[in-house]
Amino acid sequence: MLAWPIILSNITVPLLGLVDTAVVGHLPDSRYLAGVTLGATLFSFLYWGFGFLRMGTTGLTSQAVGRESDSDVRNLLGQSLLMAAAIGTLLILFSQPLISLGLWLLNGSEVATELAAEYAHIRILSAPAVLANYAILGWFLGQQNSRVTLLILVLTNSVNIALDLLFVVGFGMTSDGVAWATVIADYTALTFGLWLVMRQLKLLEGRFLRSRLLRVAAYVELFHVNANLFVRTLGLLFAMAFFTSRGAVQGDTVLAANAVLLQFIMLTSYALDGFAHATEAIVGRSVGRRRWDEFATAVRTAAWFSLVTAAIASLAFALGGHYLIALLTGLPEVRATAGSYLPWMGAMPLIAVWSYLLDGVFIGATAIREMRNSIFVGLAAYLPVWWVTQGWGNHGLWLAFLTFSLVRSAVLGTYYLHHRRTRWRPAISSL
C-alpha cells in the first residue's frame, strides 16, 4: 500500500525522459538529441549529486516518527529546506565554471556541446526549486505519506511534458524549449509542495526551534548522513557520466543510441525504487522503535515484489525492445545502433534489482557508509573491465556497466547479511 503511489510517481520521472527523448529524437538532426543527452547528464551531477537532501531527510524523519517526536520531524524539514536554498543559490552563482567544466569532462562533439551549454544555462535557474523539492519529498516519504509524493511528481512531470510539446512542437524551439519547460515545472512543483507542507505542519505538535535551524552544531547528524550520501551519489553519477562520455567518443549516433537505452534502465530503476523507497520509510520507523520483526518483514516482502518487477521488465525488453526504440526515435541509424545493444537490457534489471532494494534498507537505517563503500568497490571493478574490453567497442562499455551493477549488489548483500547477524536484531540479554 505504501509502495504503489511511489511506483506510479517514480515512473512519471523516466516517462518525462522518454518524452524529452521522443520529442527531440524526432527532430531532423541527431545533434539535438545528443545535446540534450549531454546536458541532462551534466544535471545528473549538479542536481542528483544533492539527492542526499531527499534520502537523508527520509531516513532521519522516519526514525523521528518511530520515536514519536513531532518536534524532530518539524525541525528536520526546516533544516533540509535551509540547506536546499543555500546550495541551490551557490549552484546558480557558480554556474558558469561548473557548466564549462562538466561539459569539458563529458567530451561530446563540438556541436552537441554547444547545444548542451545553451540547455544547461537555462536548467540551472531551477536549482533552488529542485533541491527544495527533494527535501519536501523526503520529508513526506519519511512520514509514510507516499500519496503526496505521487501528487507532487505527477504535477511536475505533467506540466513538463505539456510544455515540452508546446515549446518544441508548437513553437518550433529545440533543446532550449526542453530546458525552459523543466524550469517552469520545477517552480510549479515547489509552490504546490510548500502548500502541502503548510497543511501537514498544522497536524504536528511543537514549533520550529531557532537553536535547531540557525546553529551549525544542530546540523551535525544531518551533515554526517548527508556527507556520505553526497560522496556515494557522486561516485554513482561518475559511473553514469563515464558511460555517457565513452559513448560520446564513439560518435553522436552511439551517444544517441545509448541515451535511448538508458531511458529503459531509468524506467526500470524508478519502478524498482518504489519498493526501495517504501522500505526506507518502514525500516526507518522500525529502527526508531527497535522493532526488528517489522524490519525483517519489510525487507523480505519488498525483495519479493522487486524481483517479480525486475523479471517482468527483462521480459518486456526482450520481447518489445525494438518497438520501444522505434517509439523514441525516428532516425534509422540510431534505431539500428540501439537495437544491436538491446540484449544488455534483458540482463540489467535482474542484476541491478538488489542494489536498488538494499539502498532503501540502508537509507532507512541511516547506515550510509556501507552504501558509499559499495559504489567505490563497484567502480574498482567497472573501470578495469572497461579498459580491458575497449576493443569490443560499445559492447565492452555495456559489459563494464553491467559489472559495476553486479559488484555493487554483491557488496550491499554482504553488508546486509553481516548486519542482520550483528546489529539489526534483538539484543541478547546477559544473565
Side-chain angles (χ1 to χ4, degrees), residues 122-123 125 160 163 167 173 175-185:
I122 298 170
R123 275 286 305 272
L125 298 176
N160 206 333
L163 292 178
F167 292 163
M173 301 170 73
S175 50
D176 59 332
V178 174
W180 278 117
T182 304
V183 170
I184 295 170

Side-chain angles (χ1 to χ4, degrees), residues 286-299:
S286 302
V287 171
R289 294 177 175 178
R290 317 304 291 174
R291 285 287 305 274
W292 303 112
D293 54 337
E294 183 181 288
F295 179 104
T297 300
V299 175

Side-chain angles (χ1 to χ4, degrees), residues 31 58 88 93 125 203 230 233 246 341 361 364 372-373 418:
R31 66 193 175 103
T58 297
L93 291 176
L125 298 176
L203 304 178
F230 179 62
T233 304
R246 292 307 89 195
Y341 303 113
V361 174
R372 178 200 65 193
N373 293 346
H418 172 72

Side-chain angles (χ1 to χ4, degrees), residues 178-208:
V178 174
W180 278 117
T182 304
V183 170
I184 295 170
D186 288 334
Y187 280 101
T188 301
L190 176 59
T191 302
F192 181 57
L194 289 174
W195 177 72
L196 292 172
V197 163
M198 295 303 294
R199 293 181 60 194
Q200 182 68 13
L201 288 174
K202 294 177 182 178
L203 304 178
L204 299 177
E205 295 179 356
R207 58 188 178 83
F208 288 109

